[in-house]
Amino acid sequence: MRSWRRGMKEMDLILGPFADGPLATLDPAMVERYEAMLSENDQDLYRWITARIGGRGEAVGPADLVPILDAIAVHVEEKRAF
């Protein structure tokens, strides 16, 4: 629910499909990172995730969230390929 009702439509469209799919396959440590990430500001999250998309691969954002931000960006890239 928190992934689909962020307040910023762009983040709903990024996090919602991730929560409906790959989130279920993550190990407990990554799920904890995801939970921590949900408390971040949408504008920051959007910038941190989109910086990784399109071959830029910029690792912006808090170091402890880098693995989950990378995973979300990969998911967006895979969905965008269709």
Side-chain angles (χ1 to χ4, degrees):
M1 177 75 155
R2 291 186 301 154
S3 297
W4 277 106
R5 304 280 189 257
R6 296 292 305 172
M8 186 173 153
K9 189 64 173 175
E10 292 85 346
M11 289 311 302
D12 294 347
L13 296 173
I14 290 171
L15 296 181
F18 184 83
D20 288 348
L23 182 61
T25 65
L26 297 180
D27 63 58
M30 286 289 275
V31 173
E32 285 183 32
R33 284 186 176 107
Y34 188 81
E35 288 290 330
M37 183 207 66
L38 289 177
S39 68
E40 296 289 342
N41 179 299
D42 276 357
Q43 289 79 13
D44 291 334
L45 283 175
Y46 184 77
R47 185 172 45 88
W48 298 338
I49 293 168
T50 58
R52 292 166 160 74
I53 298 171
R56 293 178 288 185
E58 298 173 31
V60 295
D64 58 327
L65 297 181
V66 166
I68 193 66
L69 295 171
D70 289 345
I72 294 167
V74 166
H75 182 256
V76 170
E77 283 281 331
E78 289 171 353
K79 291 296 181 185
R80 193 172 73 150
F82 294 105

Coordinates of all heavy atoms in Angstrom, one line a residue:
M1 N 0.8 -1.2 0.0 CA 0.0 0.0 0.0 C 0.9 1.3 0.0 O 0.6 2.2 -0.8 CB -0.9 0.0 1.2 CG -1.8 1.2 1.4 SD -3.1 1.2 0.2 CE -4.2 2.2 1.0
R2 N 1.9 1.3 0.8 CA 2.8 2.5 0.9 C 3.6 2.7 -0.4 O 4.0 3.8 -0.6 CB 3.7 2.4 2.1 CG 3.0 2.5 3.4 CD 3.9 2.6 4.6 NE 4.8 1.4 4.7 CZ 6.0 1.4 5.2 NH1 6.4 2.5 5.8 NH2 6.7 0.3 5.3
S3 N 3.7 1.6 -1.2 CA 4.5 1.8 -2.4 C 3.6 2.4 -3.5 O 4.1 3.1 -4.4 CB 5.0 0.4 -2.9 OG 5.9 -0.1 -1.9
W4 N 2.3 2.2 -3.4 CA 1.3 2.7 -4.5 C 0.7 4.0 -4.1 O 0.1 4.7 -4.9 CB 0.2 1.7 -4.7 CG 0.6 0.6 -5.7 CD1 0.9 -0.7 -5.4 CD2 0.8 0.7 -7.1 NE1 1.2 -1.4 -6.5 CE2 1.1 -0.6 -7.6 CE3 0.6 1.7 -8.0 CZ2 1.4 -0.8 -8.9 CZ3 0.8 1.5 -9.3 CH2 1.2 0.2 -9.8
R5 N 0.8 4.4 -2.8 CA 0.2 5.7 -2.4 C 1.2 6.6 -1.8 O 1.2 6.9 -0.6 CB -0.9 5.4 -1.3 CG -2.0 4.4 -1.8 CD -3.0 5.1 -2.7 NE -4.1 4.2 -2.9 CZ -4.3 3.6 -4.1 NH1 -3.5 3.7 -5.1 NH2 -5.4 2.9 -4.3
R6 N 2.2 7.0 -2.6 CA 3.3 7.8 -2.1 C 3.0 9.3 -2.0 O 3.5 9.9 -1.1 CB 4.5 7.6 -3.1 CG 5.1 6.3 -3.2 CD 5.8 5.8 -1.9 NE 6.8 6.8 -1.5 CZ 7.4 6.8 -0.4 NH1 7.2 5.8 0.4 NH2 8.3 7.6 -0.1
G7 N 2.1 9.8 -2.9 CA 1.9 11.2 -2.9 C 2.4 11.9 -4.1 O 2.0 12.9 -4.5
M8 N 3.4 11.2 -4.7 CA 4.0 11.7 -6.0 C 3.8 10.6 -7.0 O 4.3 9.5 -6.8 CB 5.5 12.0 -5.8 CG 6.2 12.6 -7.0 SD 7.9 13.0 -6.5 CE 8.7 12.9 -8.1
K9 N 3.0 10.9 -8.0 CA 2.6 9.9 -9.0 C 3.7 9.1 -9.6 O 3.7 7.9 -9.8 CB 1.7 10.5 -10.1 CG 1.0 9.5 -11.0 CD 0.0 8.7 -10.2 CE -0.8 7.8 -11.1 NZ -1.6 6.9 -10.3
E10 N 4.8 9.8 -9.9 CA 6.0 9.2 -10.5 C 6.5 8.1 -9.6 O 6.9 7.0 -10.0 CB 7.1 10.2 -10.8 CG 6.7 11.2 -11.8 CD 6.0 12.4 -11.4 OE1 5.4 12.4 -10.2 OE2 5.9 13.4 -12.1
M11 N 6.5 8.3 -8.3 CA 7.0 7.3 -7.3 C 6.0 6.2 -7.2 O 6.4 5.0 -7.0 CB 7.3 7.9 -6.0 CG 8.6 8.8 -6.0 SD 10.0 8.0 -6.8 CE 10.3 6.6 -5.8
D12 N 4.7 6.5 -7.3 CA 3.7 5.4 -7.3 C 4.0 4.4 -8.5 O 4.0 3.2 -8.3 CB 2.3 5.9 -7.5 CG 1.8 6.8 -6.4 OD1 2.4 6.8 -5.3 OD2 0.8 7.4 -6.6
L13 N 4.3 5.0 -9.6 CA 4.5 4.2 -10.8 C 5.9 3.5 -10.8 O 6.1 2.5 -11.5 CB 4.4 5.1 -12.1 CG 3.1 5.7 -12.3 CD1 3.1 6.7 -13.5 CD2 2.0 4.6 -12.5
I14 N 6.8 3.9 -10.0 CA 8.1 3.2 -9.9 C 8.0 2.2 -8.8 O 8.4 1.0 -9.0 CB 9.2 4.3 -9.6 CG1 9.5 5.1 -10.8 CG2 10.5 3.5 -9.1 CD1 10.4 6.3 -10.6
L15 N 7.6 2.6 -7.6 CA 7.6 1.6 -6.5 C 6.5 0.6 -6.5 O 6.6 -0.5 -6.0 CB 7.6 2.4 -5.2 CG 8.8 3.3 -4.9 CD1 8.7 4.0 -3.6 CD2 10.1 2.5 -5.0
G16 N 5.3 1.0 -7.0 CA 4.1 0.1 -7.0 C 4.4 -1.2 -7.7 O 4.3 -2.3 -7.1
P17 N 4.9 -1.1 -9.0 CA 5.2 -2.4 -9.7 C 6.3 -3.2 -9.0 O 6.3 -4.4 -9.1 CB 5.6 -1.9 -11.1 CG 4.8 -0.6 -11.2 CD 4.9 0.0 -9.9
F18 N 7.3 -2.5 -8.5 CA 8.4 -3.2 -7.8 C 7.8 -3.9 -6.6 O 8.2 -5.1 -6.3 CB 9.5 -2.2 -7.3 CG 10.7 -2.9 -6.7 CD1 11.7 -3.4 -7.5 CD2 10.8 -3.0 -5.3 CE1 12.8 -4.0 -6.9 CE2 11.9 -3.6 -4.8 CZ 12.9 -4.1 -5.6
A19 N 6.9 -3.3 -5.8 CA 6.4 -4.0 -4.7 C 5.5 -5.1 -5.1 O 5.4 -6.1 -4.3 CB 5.6 -3.0 -3.8
D20 N 4.8 -5.0 -6.2 CA 4.0 -6.1 -6.7 C 4.7 -7.3 -7.2 O 4.2 -8.4 -7.4 CB 3.0 -5.6 -7.8 CG 1.9 -4.7 -7.2 OD1 1.8 -4.7 -6.0 OD2 1.2 -4.1 -8.0
G21 N 6.0 -7.1 -7.6 CA 6.8 -8.2 -8.2 C 8.0 -8.5 -7.4 O 8.0 -9.4 -6.5
P22 N 9.2 -7.9 -7.8 CA 10.5 -8.3 -7.2 C 10.6 -8.2 -5.7 O 11.3 -9.0 -5.1 CB 11.5 -7.4 -7.9 CG 10.8 -6.9 -9.1 CD 9.3 -6.9 -8.8
L23 N 9.8 -7.4 -5.0 CA 9.9 -7.3 -3.6 C 9.7 -8.6 -2.9 O 10.4 -8.9 -1.9 CB 8.9 -6.2 -3.1 CG 8.9 -5.9 -1.6 CD1 10.3 -5.4 -1.1 CD2 7.8 -5.0 -1.2
A24 N 8.8 -9.4 -3.4 CA 8.5 -10.7 -2.8 C 9.7 -11.7 -2.9 O 9.7 -12.6 -2.1 CB 7.3 -11.3 -3.5
T25 N 10.6 -11.4 -3.8 CA 11.8 -12.4 -3.9 C 13.0 -11.9 -3.2 O 14.0 -12.6 -3.2 CB 12.1 -12.6 -5.4 OG1 12.6 -11.3 -6.0 CG2 10.9 -13.0 -6.2
L26 N 13.0 -10.7 -2.6 CA 14.2 -10.2 -1.9 C 14.4 -10.9 -0.6 O 13.5 -11.4 0.1 CB 14.0 -8.7 -1.6 CG 13.8 -7.8 -2.8 CD1 13.7 -6.4 -2.4 CD2 15.0 -7.9 -3.8
D27 N 15.7 -11.0 -0.2 CA 16.1 -11.5 1.1 C 15.7 -10.5 2.2 O 15.4 -9.4 1.9 CB 17.6 -11.9 1.1 CG 18.5 -10.6 1.0 OD1 18.3 -9.7 1.8 OD2 19.3 -10.6 0.1
P28 N 15.6 -11.0 3.4 CA 15.1 -10.1 4.5 C 15.9 -8.8 4.7 O 15.3 -7.8 5.0 CB 15.3 -11.0 5.8 CG 15.1 -12.4 5.2 CD 15.8 -12.4 3.9
A29 N 17.2 -8.9 4.5 CA 18.0 -7.7 4.6 C 17.6 -6.6 3.6 O 17.5 -5.4 3.9 CB 19.5 -8.0 4.4
M30 N 17.3 -7.1 2.4 CA 16.9 -6.1 1.3 C 15.5 -5.6 1.6 O 15.2 -4.4 1.4 CB 16.9 -6.8 -0.1 CG 18.3 -6.9 -0.6 SD 19.1 -5.3 -1.1 CE 18.4 -5.2 -2.7
V31 N 14.6 -6.4 2.2 CA 13.3 -6.0 2.6 C 13.4 -4.9 3.6 O 12.7 -3.9 3.6 CB 12.4 -7.2 3.0 CG1 11.1 -6.7 3.6 CG2 12.1 -8.1 1.8
E32 N 14.3 -5.1 4.6 CA 14.5 -4.1 5.6 C 15.0 -2.8 5.0 O 14.6 -1.7 5.4 CB 15.6 -4.6 6.6 CG 15.0 -5.6 7.6 CD 16.1 -6.0 8.6 OE1 16.9 -5.2 9.0 OE2 16.0 -7.2 9.0
R33 N 15.9 -2.8 4.0 CA 16.3 -1.6 3.3 C 15.1 -1.0 2.6 O 15.0 0.3 2.6 CB 17.4 -2.0 2.3 CG 18.8 -2.2 2.9 CD 19.8 -2.4 1.8 NE 21.1 -2.6 2.4 CZ 21.8 -3.7 2.5 NH1 21.3 -4.8 1.9 NH2 23.0 -3.8 3.0
Y34 N 14.3 -1.8 2.0 CA 13.1 -1.2 1.3 C 12.2 -0.5 2.3 O 11.8 0.6 2.0 CB 12.4 -2.4 0.6 CG 11.3 -1.8 -0.3 CD1 11.5 -1.4 -1.6 CD2 9.9 -1.8 0.1 CE1 10.5 -0.9 -2.4 CE2 8.9 -1.3 -0.7 CZ 9.2 -0.9 -1.9 OH 8.2 -0.4 -2.7
E35 N 12.0 -1.1 3.4 CA 11.2 -0.5 4.5 C 11.8 0.8 4.9 O 11.1 1.8 5.1 CB 11.0 -1.4 5.7 CG 10.1 -2.6 5.4 CD 8.6 -2.2 5.2 OE1 8.2 -1.2 5.9 OE2 7.9 -2.9 4.5
A36 N 13.1 0.9 5.1 CA 13.8 2.1 5.5 C 13.7 3.2 4.4 O 13.4 4.3 4.7 CB 15.2 1.8 5.8
M37 N 13.8 2.7 3.2 CA 13.7 3.6 2.0 C 12.3 4.3 1.9 O 12.2 5.5 1.6 CB 14.0 2.9 0.7 CG 14.0 3.7 -0.5 SD 13.6 2.7 -2.0 CE 11.9 2.3 -1.6
L38 N 11.3 3.6 2.3 CA 9.9 4.1 2.2 C 9.7 5.4 3.1 O 8.8 6.2 2.9 CB 8.9 3.1 2.6 CG 8.7 2.0 1.5 CD1 7.7 1.0 2.1 CD2 8.3 2.5 0.2
S39 N 10.6 5.6 4.1 CA 10.5 6.8 4.9 C 11.1 8.0 4.3 O 11.0 9.1 4.9 CB 11.0 6.5 6.3 OG 12.4 6.3 6.2
E40 N 11.8 7.8 3.2 CA 12.5 8.9 2.6 C 11.5 9.8 1.8 O 10.5 9.3 1.4 CB 13.6 8.4 1.6 CG 14.7 7.7 2.3 CD 15.6 8.6 3.2 OE1 15.6 9.8 3.0 OE2 16.3 8.0 4.0
N41 N 11.9 11.0 1.5 CA 11.1 12.0 0.8 C 11.0 11.5 -0.7 O 12.0 11.1 -1.3 CB 11.9 13.3 0.9 CG 11.2 14.4 0.1 OD1 11.1 14.4 -1.1 ND2 10.8 15.4 0.9
D42 N 9.8 11.6 -1.3 CA 9.6 11.2 -2.7 C 10.5 11.9 -3.7 O 11.0 11.3 -4.6 CB 8.2 11.5 -3.1 CG 7.3 10.3 -2.7 OD1 7.7 9.3 -2.2 OD2 6.0 10.4 -3.0
Q43 N 10.7 13.2 -3.5 CA 11.6 14.0 -4.4 C 13.0 13.5 -4.4 O 13.6 13.4 -5.4 CB 11.5 15.5 -4.1 CG 10.2 16.2 -4.4 CD 9.1 15.9 -3.4 OE1 9.4 15.4 -2.3 NE2 7.9 16.2 -3.7
D44 N 13.5 13.1 -3.2 CA 14.8 12.6 -3.1 C 14.9 11.2 -3.7 O 15.8 10.9 -4.5 CB 15.3 12.5 -1.6 CG 15.5 13.8 -1.0 OD1 15.8 14.8 -1.8 OD2 15.4 13.9 0.2
L45 N 13.9 10.3 -3.4 CA 13.9 9.0 -4.0 C 13.8 9.0 -5.5 O 14.5 8.3 -6.2 CB 12.6 8.2 -3.5 CG 12.7 7.7 -2.1 CD1 11.4 7.0 -1.7 CD2 13.8 6.6 -2.0
Y46 N 13.0 9.9 -6.0 CA 12.9 10.0 -7.5 C 14.3 10.4 -8.1 O 14.7 9.8 -9.1 CB 11.8 11.1 -7.9 CG 11.6 11.2 -9.3 CD1 10.9 10.2 -10.0 CD2 12.1 12.2 -10.1 CE1 10.6 10.3 -11.4 CE2 11.9 12.3 -11.4 CZ 11.2 11.3 -12.1 OH 11.0 11.4 -13.4
R47 N 14.9 11.3 -7.5 CA 16.2 11.7 -8.0 C 17.2 10.6 -7.9 O 18.0 10.3 -8.8 CB 16.7 13.0 -7.3 CG 18.0 13.6 -7.8 CD 18.3 14.9 -7.1 NE 18.1 14.9 -5.6 CZ 19.0 14.5 -4.8 NH1 20.2 14.1 -5.2 NH2 18.8 14.5 -3.5
W48 N 17.3 9.9 -6.8 CA 18.2 8.8 -6.5 C 18.0 7.7 -7.5 O 19.0 7.1 -8.0 CB 18.1 8.3 -5.1 CG 18.5 9.3 -4.0 CD1 19.2 10.5 -4.2 CD2 18.1 9.3 -2.7 NE1 19.3 11.2 -3.0 CE2 18.6 10.5 -2.1 CE3 17.3 8.4 -1.9 CZ2 18.4 10.7 -0.7 CZ3 17.1 8.7 -0.6 CH2 17.6 9.8 0.0
I49 N 16.8 7.3 -7.8 CA 16.5 6.2 -8.6 C 16.7 6.6 -10.1 O 17.3 5.8 -10.8 CB 15.0 5.7 -8.4 CG1 15.0 5.0 -7.0 CG2 14.7 4.6 -9.5 CD1 13.6 4.7 -6.5
T50 N 16.2 7.7 -10.5 CA 16.3 8.1 -11.9 C 17.8 8.4 -12.3 O 18.1 8.2 -13.5 CB 15.4 9.3 -12.3 OG1 15.7 10.4 -11.5 CG2 13.9 8.9 -12.2
A51 N 18.6 8.7 -11.4 CA 20.0 8.9 -11.7 C 20.7 7.6 -12.1 O 21.7 7.7 -12.8 CB 20.7 9.5 -10.4
R52 N 20.1 6.5 -11.7 CA 20.7 5.2 -12.1 C 20.2 4.6 -13.4 O 20.7 3.7 -13.9 CB 20.3 4.2 -11.0 CG 20.9 4.5 -9.7 CD 20.3 3.7 -8.5 NE 21.2 3.6 -7.4 CZ 21.4 4.6 -6.5 NH1 20.9 5.8 -6.7 NH2 22.2 4.4 -5.5
I53 N 19.2 5.3 -14.0 CA 18.5 4.8 -15.2 C 19.1 5.4 -16.4 O 19.5 6.5 -16.4 CB 17.0 5.1 -15.1 CG1 16.4 4.3 -13.9 CG2 16.3 4.7 -16.4 CD1 14.9 4.7 -13.6
G54 N 19.1 4.6 -17.5 CA 19.6 5.2 -18.8 C 21.1 5.1 -18.9 O 21.7 5.8 -19.7
G55 N 21.7 4.1 -18.2 CA 23.1 3.9 -18.4 C 24.0 4.8 -17.6 O 25.2 4.7 -17.6
R56 N 23.4 5.7 -16.8 CA 24.2 6.7 -16.0 C 24.8 6.0 -14.8 O 25.9 6.2 -14.5 CB 23.4 7.9 -15.6 CG 23.0 8.7 -16.8 CD 22.1 9.9 -16.4 NE 20.8 9.4 -16.0 CZ 19.8 10.1 -15.7 NH1 19.9 11.4 -15.6 NH2 18.6 9.6 -15.4
G57 N 24.0 5.1 -14.1 CA 24.5 4.3 -13.0 C 25.0 5.1 -11.9 O 25.9 4.6 -11.2
E58 N 24.6 6.4 -11.7 CA 25.2 7.2 -10.6 C 24.7 6.7 -9.3 O 23.5 6.5 -9.1 CB 24.7 8.6 -10.8 CG 25.3 9.2 -12.1 CD 24.7 10.6 -12.4 OE1 24.4 11.3 -11.4 OE2 24.5 11.0 -13.5
A59 N 25.6 6.4 -8.4 CA 25.2 5.9 -7.1 C 24.9 7.0 -6.1 O 25.7 7.3 -5.2 CB 26.3 4.9 -6.5
V60 N 23.8 7.7 -6.3 CA 23.5 8.8 -5.4 C 22.5 8.3 -4.4 O 21.7 7.4 -4.6 CB 22.9 10.0 -6.1 CG1 23.9 10.6 -7.1 CG2 21.7 9.6 -6.9
G61 N 22.5 8.9 -3.2 CA 21.6 8.5 -2.1 C 22.4 8.0 -1.0 O 23.6 7.8 -1.1
P62 N 21.7 7.7 0.2 CA 22.4 7.2 1.3 C 23.1 5.8 1.0 O 22.5 5.0 0.4 CB 21.3 7.0 2.4 CG 20.2 7.9 1.9 CD 20.3 7.9 0.4
A63 N 24.2 5.6 1.5 CA 25.0 4.4 1.2 C 24.3 3.1 1.6 O 24.3 2.1 0.9 CB 26.4 4.5 1.9
D64 N 23.6 3.2 2.7 CA 22.9 2.0 3.2 C 21.7 1.6 2.3 O 21.2 0.5 2.3 CB 22.4 2.1 4.6 CG 21.5 3.3 4.9 OD1 21.7 4.3 4.2 OD2 20.6 3.2 5.8
L65 N 21.2 2.6 1.5 CA 20.1 2.3 0.6 C 20.5 2.0 -0.8 O 19.7 1.6 -1.7 CB 19.1 3.5 0.6 CG 18.4 3.8 1.9 CD1 17.5 5.0 1.7 CD2 17.7 2.6 2.4
V66 N 21.8 2.1 -1.1 CA 22.3 1.9 -2.5 C 21.9 0.5 -3.1 O 21.4 0.5 -4.2 CB 23.8 2.1 -2.6 CG1 24.4 1.5 -3.9 CG2 24.1 3.6 -2.4
P67 N 22.0 -0.6 -2.3 CA 21.5 -1.9 -2.9 C 20.1 -1.9 -3.4 O 19.7 -2.4 -4.4 CB 21.8 -2.9 -1.9 CG 22.9 -2.2 -1.0 CD 22.6 -0.8 -1.0
I68 N 19.2 -1.4 -2.6 CA 17.8 -1.4 -2.9 C 17.4 -0.4 -4.0 O 16.6 -0.6 -4.9 CB 16.8 -1.2 -1.7 CG1 15.4 -1.6 -2.0 CG2 16.9 0.2 -1.1 CD1 15.2 -3.0 -2.4
L69 N 18.1 0.8 -4.0 CA 17.9 1.7 -5.1 C 18.4 1.2 -6.4 O 17.7 1.4 -7.4 CB 18.6 3.0 -4.7 CG 18.1 3.8 -3.5 CD1 19.1 4.9 -3.2 CD2 16.7 4.3 -3.7
D70 N 19.5 0.5 -6.4 CA 20.0 -0.2 -7.6 C 19.0 -1.2 -8.1 O 18.7 -1.3 -9.3 CB 21.3 -0.9 -7.3 CG 22.5 0.1 -7.2 OD1 22.3 1.3 -7.5 OD2 23.5 -0.3 -6.7
A71 N 18.4 -2.0 -7.2 CA 17.5 -3.1 -7.6 C 16.2 -2.5 -8.2 O 15.7 -3.0 -9.2 CB 17.1 -3.9 -6.4
I72 N 15.8 -1.4 -7.6 CA 14.6 -0.7 -8.2 C 14.9 -0.2 -9.6 O 14.1 -0.3 -10.5 CB 14.1 0.4 -7.2 CG1 13.6 -0.3 -5.9 CG2 13.0 1.2 -7.9 CD1 13.3 0.7 -4.8
A73 N 16.0 0.5 -9.7 CA 16.4 1.0 -11.0 C 16.5 -0.1 -12.1 O 16.1 0.1 -13.2 CB 17.7 1.8 -10.9
V74 N 17.1 -1.2 -11.7 CA 17.2 -2.3 -12.7 C 15.8 -2.8 -13.1 O 15.5 -3.0 -14.3 CB 17.9 -3.5 -12.0 CG1 17.8 -4.8 -12.9 CG2 19.4 -3.2 -11.9
H75 N 14.8 -2.8 -12.1 CA 13.5 -3.2 -12.4 C 12.8 -2.2 -13.4 O 12.2 -2.6 -14.3 CB 12.7 -3.3 -11.1 CG 11.3 -3.8 -11.4 ND1 10.2 -2.9 -11.3 CD2 10.7 -5.0 -11.7 CE1 9.1 -3.6 -11.6 NE2 9.4 -4.8 -11.8
V76 N 13.0 -0.9 -13.1 CA 12.5 0.1 -14.0 C 13.1 -0.1 -15.4 O 12.3 0.0 -16.4 CB 12.8 1.5 -13.5 CG1 12.4 2.6 -14.5 CG2 12.0 1.7 -12.2
E77 N 14.4 -0.3 -15.5 CA 15.0 -0.5 -16.8 C 14.4 -1.7 -17.6 O 14.2 -1.7 -18.8 CB 16.5 -0.7 -16.7 CG 17.3 0.6 -16.4 CD 17.5 1.4 -17.6 OE1 17.6 0.8 -18.7 OE2 17.6 2.6 -17.5
E78 N 14.2 -2.8 -16.8 CA 13.7 -4.0 -17.5 C 12.3 -3.8 -18.0 O 11.9 -4.2 -19.1 CB 13.7 -5.2 -16.5 CG 15.0 -5.7 -16.2 CD 15.1 -6.7 -15.0 OE1 14.0 -6.9 -14.4 OE2 16.2 -7.3 -14.8
K79 N 11.4 -3.1 -17.2 CA 10.1 -2.8 -17.6 C 10.1 -1.8 -18.8 O 9.2 -1.9 -19.7 CB 9.3 -2.2 -16.5 CG 9.0 -3.2 -15.4 CD 8.1 -4.3 -16.0 CE 7.7 -5.3 -15.0 NZ 7.0 -6.4 -15.5
R80 N 11.0 -0.9 -18.8 CA 11.1 0.1 -19.9 C 11.5 -0.5 -21.2 O 11.2 0.1 -22.3 CB 12.1 1.2 -19.5 CG 12.0 2.4 -20.3 CD 12.9 3.5 -19.7 NE 14.3 3.2 -20.0 CZ 15.2 4.1 -20.1 NH1 14.9 5.3 -20.0 NH2 16.4 3.7 -20.3
A81 N 12.1 -1.6 -21.2 CA 12.6 -2.3 -22.4 C 11.5 -2.8 -23.3 O 11.7 -3.1 -24.4 CB 13.6 -3.4 -22.1
F82 N 10.3 -3.0 -22.7 CA 9.2 -3.5 -23.5 C 8.4 -2.5 -24.2 O 8.1 -1.5 -24.0 CB 8.3 -4.3 -22.6 CG 9.0 -5.6 -22.0 CD1 9.4 -5.6 -20.7 CD2 9.2 -6.6 -22.8 CE1 10.0 -6.8 -20.2 CE2 9.8 -7.8 -22.4 CZ 10.2 -7.8 -21.1

